[in-house]
Amino acid sequence: MRRRFAALILAGLALIGGSAVLRAQEDTPPASLTKPAAGSATPAKLLFGAVKEPADLAPRGIGFYSRGCLAGGEALPINGPTWQAMRLSRNRNWGHPDLVAFLEQLAAQAPKVGWPGLLVGDMAQPRGGPMATGHASHQIGLDADIWLTPMPKKVFTAKEREEVSATMIVRPDRLDVDAKVWTPAHVAIIRTAAQDERVERVLVNAAIKKALCRDAKADRSGDRAWLQKVRPYWGHDYHMHVRISCPTGSPDCRPQEPVVAGDGCDKLDWWFSEGVLHPKPPKVPPKPAPPLTLAQLPPACAAVLKAP
């Protein structure tokens, strides 16, 4: 599935103009972090993926969400009163302490808005950094995938955490959500996450954003501004990807550009155009970018990798 989405991205970007390309830049690091540097050719994903424990350093996110690392990482406990961590074999239930606190607090709020609890997918590796599979971002301990599947009353076994699938939310034609699974509780839990002042982005499939625009009611103040934090992005059919802002004490963390005013609901047509939904492959397939090396990450990441 992830390979299919990667192919769609490459094909789509080959067909579209500059304004559309900008819509695909949620995980593009600032120019100051993209210049290649000399150094070991060993892919950084192999170096960071091999480390099983966090760096014993003061907590901080270093670099950009898709080019950086994590010092002082903290693990989300695999079980809580209203959450369960999934896919434990990946060892990706780590994050900056601010992210762990956010998830625990969101989980506590969930039943109050009609969502029984959170199933938390990938966060970060113990020291962040690039991952061998699955994500371009999730590198600095500030990203978390929250399944759009309500937590059941039972506690999953280790085997079930590896094998249970998240619920597909998007309709087969990709034009809207599946009415058989979409509920007001989905709107409520996404709204609750987006309204948190620590949250910088909530990435969802464009069909989910479309449904939110249609179904979300303004609060008593008439506010729908939280919808602007909810951004359409390829994939994300089964989960919302929540990204929090750079925490205090992380001077090397690089934030994204702030969202513009409004709810963003008038800018969705492009995502449902024929060229995006059914892109034609380019005549000459682009060469895949080489994997990031340690030398291409912020300098502090070498110390994070070597720390006890």
Side-chain angles (χ1 to χ4, degrees):
M1 183 65 73
R2 292 189 177 101
R3 291 179 181 176
R4 175 173 176 266
F5 287 131
L8 287 174
I9 292 171
L10 292 172
L13 293 180
L15 293 171
I16 56 183
S19 63
V21 171
L22 292 176
R23 296 187 180 96
Q25 300 306 306
E26 293 293 342
D27 287 334
T28 301
S32 61
L33 294 179
T34 59
K35 184 178 179 180
S40 171
T42 302
K45 62 185 180 182
L46 300 181
L47 301 174
F48 282 91
V51 181
K52 306 305 180 186
E53 298 292 336
D56 187 16
L57 300 168
R60 57 193 176 117
I62 300 167
F64 191 68
Y65 300 91
S66 59
R67 190 167 296 209
C69 59
L70 169 66
E74 180 180 325
L76 176 73
I78 65 172
N79 292 319
T82 48
W83 78 82
Q84 296 185 51
M86 306 298 286
R87 305 296 191 261
L88 300 180
S89 64
R90 298 177 181 176
N91 197 28
R92 295 178 181 176
N93 60 314
W94 297 84
H96 187 281
D98 282 13
L99 178 66
V100 174
F102 163 76
L103 290 170
E104 293 181 352
Q105 291 161 19
L106 178 64
Q109 289 177 283
K112 300 175 185 177
V113 300
W115 194 259
L118 307 182
L119 297 178
V120 182
D122 286 354
M123 296 166 56
Q125 299 174 136
R127 303 189 187 199
M131 296 180 180
T133 60
H135 303 282
S137 59
H138 291 253
Q139 293 192 28
I140 59 176
L142 304 179
D143 295 281
D145 289 344
I146 300 173
W147 290 15
L148 292 174
T149 304
M151 189 185 81
K153 293 181 180 180
K154 65 169 288 183
V155 176
F156 284 128
T157 65
K159 185 172 186 289
E160 288 171 329
R161 291 174 200 254
E162 301 300 322
E163 297 179 354
V164 169
S165 295
T167 303
M168 173 57 134
I169 304 297
V170 180
R171 209 165 67 188
D173 64 7
R174 317 291 297 162
L175 294 174
D176 212 324
V177 294
D178 185 342
K180 296 190 296 293
V181 298
W182 182 252
T183 69
H186 286 90
V187 179
I189 192 62
I190 296 172
R191 180 201 295 118
T192 303
Q195 286 180 327
D196 192 294
E197 64 181 8
R198 292 167 288 189
V199 170
E200 186 164 286
R201 297 285 196 278
V202 179
L203 306 181
V204 296
N205 182 280
I208 296 174
K209 169 78 176 191
K210 178 180 178 179
L212 290 169
C213 290
R214 179 181 62 237
D215 298 342
K217 295 179 173 61
D219 62 21
R220 293 179 182 178
S221 68
D223 177 35
R224 281 170 57 92
W226 63 270
L227 281 165
Q228 184 58 272
K229 286 187 184 180
V230 183
R231 309 287 286 217
Y233 203 65
W234 282 276
H236 301 84
D237 298 4
Y238 303 81
H239 68 275
M240 61 172 166
H241 174 165
V242 179
R243 172 173 292 170
I244 68 170
S245 302
C246 289
T248 301
S250 293
D252 297 324
C253 180
R254 298 291 178 262
Q256 291 191 263
E257 292 295 322
V259 296
V260 298
D263 59 20
C265 294
D266 58 344
K267 304 184 185 302
L268 293 175
D269 290 348
W270 177 82
W271 289 95
F272 300 103
S273 62
E274 180 65 19
V276 174
L277 287 177
H278 305 104
K280 296 179 180 179
K283 293 181 179 179
V284 179
K287 294 182 179 179
L292 291 172
T293 64
L294 182 60
Q296 291 174 287
L297 300 181
C301 289
V304 168
L305 198 61
K306 295 176 182 177

